[in-house]
Amino acid sequence: GRLARGLRLFVHLGMTGWFERAKAGADAPRFERVGFELARADARGRSRISFTDPRRWGRVVLAGEDFEAWSALGPDPLLDGVDPDVLLRRLARSKKRTIKEALLDQTVLAGVGNILSIESLWKAKIDPRSRASALTAKQVRTLEQCLHWAIERALKSLSRRDHAEINPFVVYGRKGEPCPRCGARFKRIELAGRTTTFCPGCQVRSR
């Protein structure tokens, strides 16, 4: 976001970062890392915005201009949209990487982490071990649509009061449970140092 004097605020939520809003003067929430006090333009009072992050994986940076870690990011699927043809060309250059590894590369797509990649690949019926460069144009178009599906579901789950207690995901964290699409048991493996859950029954592997 842009601030006064040309300053900009860059925020990376990490896996557990979140913003909470309260009235000015309220006690800081648990795990608050940064607090902002905002004045309303209509002079009706002030409010407090807290950046909370239990695992401290998020990042807040105040800077006068873009910095390399930010400018190198790929397009944001929601804000910028994803051009399937451009994504196909980027994946074609990933000769040795799996599609799961390519999706975790923030220079390919910004904001797609472990959970979103797992969910979207399941929805698209793509095995996470598939070579990124082996995906067809049709598969990439489907994957682009499924990324939006996964992101929208994740955002909707965060709006629920019980989101911290209930697993809202179809695949993530459900090793051994039956796939709601084909009935096969979800399997968990490790890819690029991250746990990856997928369905061996209906997610097709491209080599």
Side-chain angles (χ1 to χ4, degrees):
R2 291 188 178 275
L3 305 175
R5 300 178 184 176
L7 293 175
R8 304 179 71 180
L9 186 67
F10 300 88
V11 180
H12 189 302
L13 296 179
M15 285 186 65
T16 59
W18 192 244
F19 284 100
E20 297 184 22
R21 183 173 182 173
K23 292 183 179 180
D27 292 338
R30 189 182 182 192
F31 302 122
E32 180 188 73
R33 306 306 177 195
V34 181
F36 305 91
E37 192 164 301
L38 307 179
R40 293 174 60 108
D42 56 12
R44 291 175 57 188
R46 304 176 74 86
S47 60
R48 180 184 181 87
I49 303 294
S50 298
F51 176 69
T52 62
D53 186 10
R55 296 191 180 183
R56 297 178 181 266
W57 288 347
R59 187 180 182 192
V60 178
V61 177
L62 185 65
E65 57 186 19
D66 283 353
F67 56 100
E68 184 177 357
W70 181 273
S71 58
L73 293 176
D76 182 295
L78 286 185
L79 296 179
D80 306 315
V82 178
D83 184 328
D85 294 330
V86 174
L87 180 58
L88 180 65
R89 290 195 294 271
R90 289 186 175 185
L91 295 179
R93 295 196 292 265
S94 301
K95 299 295 184 181
K96 297 182 179 181
R97 293 196 297 185
T98 65
I99 182 58
K100 171 71 184 297
E101 292 172 304
L103 287 178
L104 293 180
D105 182 347
Q106 298 299 293
T107 66
V108 174
L109 290 175
V112 178
N114 193 44
I115 295 177
L116 291 180
S117 62
I118 288 173
E119 296 289 302
S120 58
L121 287 170
W122 173 82
K123 182 70 172 176
K125 298 183 180 180
I126 298 173
D127 190 307
R129 299 168 297 178
S130 299
R131 277 195 304 113
S133 59
L135 265 61
T136 65
K138 182 179 179 179
Q139 285 179 308
V140 172
R141 286 195 298 270
T142 300
L143 179 58
E144 183 268 332
Q145 297 168 359
C146 294
L147 279 166
H148 282 273
W149 170 85
I151 293 170
E152 289 169 2
R153 279 179 58 90
L155 291 174
K156 186 177 294 184
S157 74
L158 288 171
S159 66
R160 296 176 48 174
R161 291 183 179 274
D162 59 355
H163 75 268
E165 288 78 31
I166 297 176
N167 180 359
F169 302 108
V170 179
V171 189
Y172 177 77
R174 298 192 182 279
K175 173 190 174 183
E177 295 183 23
C179 171
R181 187 164 53 205
C182 73
R185 298 284 176 179
F186 285 128
K187 183 178 180 181
R188 188 171 66 196
I189 59 175
E190 187 172 301
L191 278 177
R194 307 298 300 274
T195 58
T196 303
T197 308
F198 72 104
C199 176
C202 60
Q203 288 182 252
V204 179
R205 186 173 184 177
S206 301
R207 299 178 183 275

